[in-house]
Amino acid sequence: MKLILLGAPGAGKGTQAELLQKALQAPVISTGNLLRAAIAEGSKLGLAAKEYMDGGRLVPDELIISLVQEKLAAPECAHGAIFDGFPRTVAQAEALDGIGGADAALSIEVSDAEIEERMCGRRTCPNCQTTYHIMHNPPRREGVCDKCGAALGIRKDDEPGVVKERLRIYHEQTEPLIEYYRAQGKLREVPGQGTVTETTALIFKALGICS
Ligand code: AMP
């Protein structure tokens, strides 16, 4: 199954993608994580992407599309994948349709006010990129990643001014994908205002997965 997770930054796509990975036995393709890894490596892609990401803007479609094409061609994606943060524009969705498309697009819906509150408390592991929230999804030990033990930090693009710009761009460029996938009959909408566990239950129900 190829599943797309749609939703504003901070809606919970990354957290839910990880939980779905276990249930669906499919790898997660997170373009944000791939880009941050490219920046950390200092690769050509990383150098090209950094300025856009730091400003909360989208990385150009052609860079993203070739990155995803490369990942999808890997043997572990032969039976499907969960897309976190891709597609983010209609051009990206059309490119994905050109290489087989997706089976379903799940939109996690959270209000802008809640997103801004969540982003203030978000902490990210710079090593394995797992995200936490200081109140709603804290690590077992304060400031330390549960998975790899690295010290948690605040992503540059989670700062309040950048979050506002990311939300503006989400509404302008990514939200139209909701109608795009509705028109294809592939859209499932789930409210994401509740706790991680509540949202997971709603997602599993919407996808017909037994939890
Ligand atoms: P994320 O971790 O998904 O919130 O992504 C962080 C940043 O990476 C975004 O604000 C964009 O600058 C960039 N990015 C991630 N995925 C995409 C995409 N599909 N298209 C364009 N830019 C992206």
Side-chain angles (χ1 to χ4, degrees):
M1 183 191 204
K2 279 200 220 122
L3 173 67
I4 291 164
L5 296 183
L6 293 174
K13 299 186 298 294
T15 305
Q16 298 297 339
E18 266 201 48
L19 298 163
L20 281 163
Q21 174 170 34
K22 288 181 199 134
L24 297 176
Q25 298 280 304
V28 175
I29 299 182
S30 160
T31 42
N33 285 355
L34 292 169
L35 292 169
R36 280 184 288 278
I39 291 174
E41 274 168 24
S43 71
K44 216 170 125 193
L45 171 66
L47 287 175
K50 189 173 185 321
E51 208 184 303
Y52 295 99
M53 292 176 74
D54 285 351
R57 287 173 294 131
L58 294 184
V59 173
D61 287 331
E62 54 281 13
L63 293 180
I64 298 289
I65 291 165
S66 58
L67 177 67
V68 170
Q69 273 173 336
E70 191 189 308
K71 282 283 146 191
L72 266 183
E76 64 265 27
C77 293
H79 303 295
I82 300 163
F83 295 103
D84 163 17
F86 174 88
R88 258 181 160 99
T89 63
V90 170
Q92 292 178 18
E94 288 171 347
L96 180 62
D97 279 345
I99 51 169
D103 302 289
L106 187 110
S107 171
I108 306 177
E109 292 169 353
V110 178
S111 70
D112 284 9
E114 169 82 13
I115 291 291
E116 289 189 39
E117 190 278 326
R118 282 189 189 181
M119 299 303 249
C120 283
R122 180 148 94 166
R123 299 290 179 271
T124 304
C125 174
N127 182 41
C128 72
Q129 315 230 18
T130 302
T131 55
Y132 300 87
H133 186 280
I134 49 174
M135 303 265 293
H136 312 306
N137 182 24
R140 284 191 290 272
R141 248 183 77 204
E142 196 185 322
V144 179
C145 179
D146 290 349
K147 291 211 180 123
C148 70
L152 302 178
I154 300 176
R155 262 167 56 179
K156 202 169 173 173
D157 59 347
D158 281 350
E159 283 161 15
V162 185
V163 167
K164 279 206 184 304
E165 177 65 359
R166 291 169 70 198
L167 269 173
R168 189 189 67 74
I169 288 178
Y170 169 74
H171 290 302
E172 185 185 281
Q173 302 204 42
T174 308
E175 215 168 42
L177 294 179
I178 293 179
E179 291 314 316
Y180 182 94
Y181 287 111
R182 198 195 306 280
Q184 290 191 356
K186 292 178 178 168
L187 185 72
R188 321 273 166 89
E189 289 165 290
V190 162
Q193 304 270 140
T195 64
V196 171
T197 316
E198 283 163 357
T199 305
T200 306
L202 292 171
I203 290 175
F204 279 31
K205 195 167 160 224
L207 296 175
I209 304 171
C210 299
S211 43

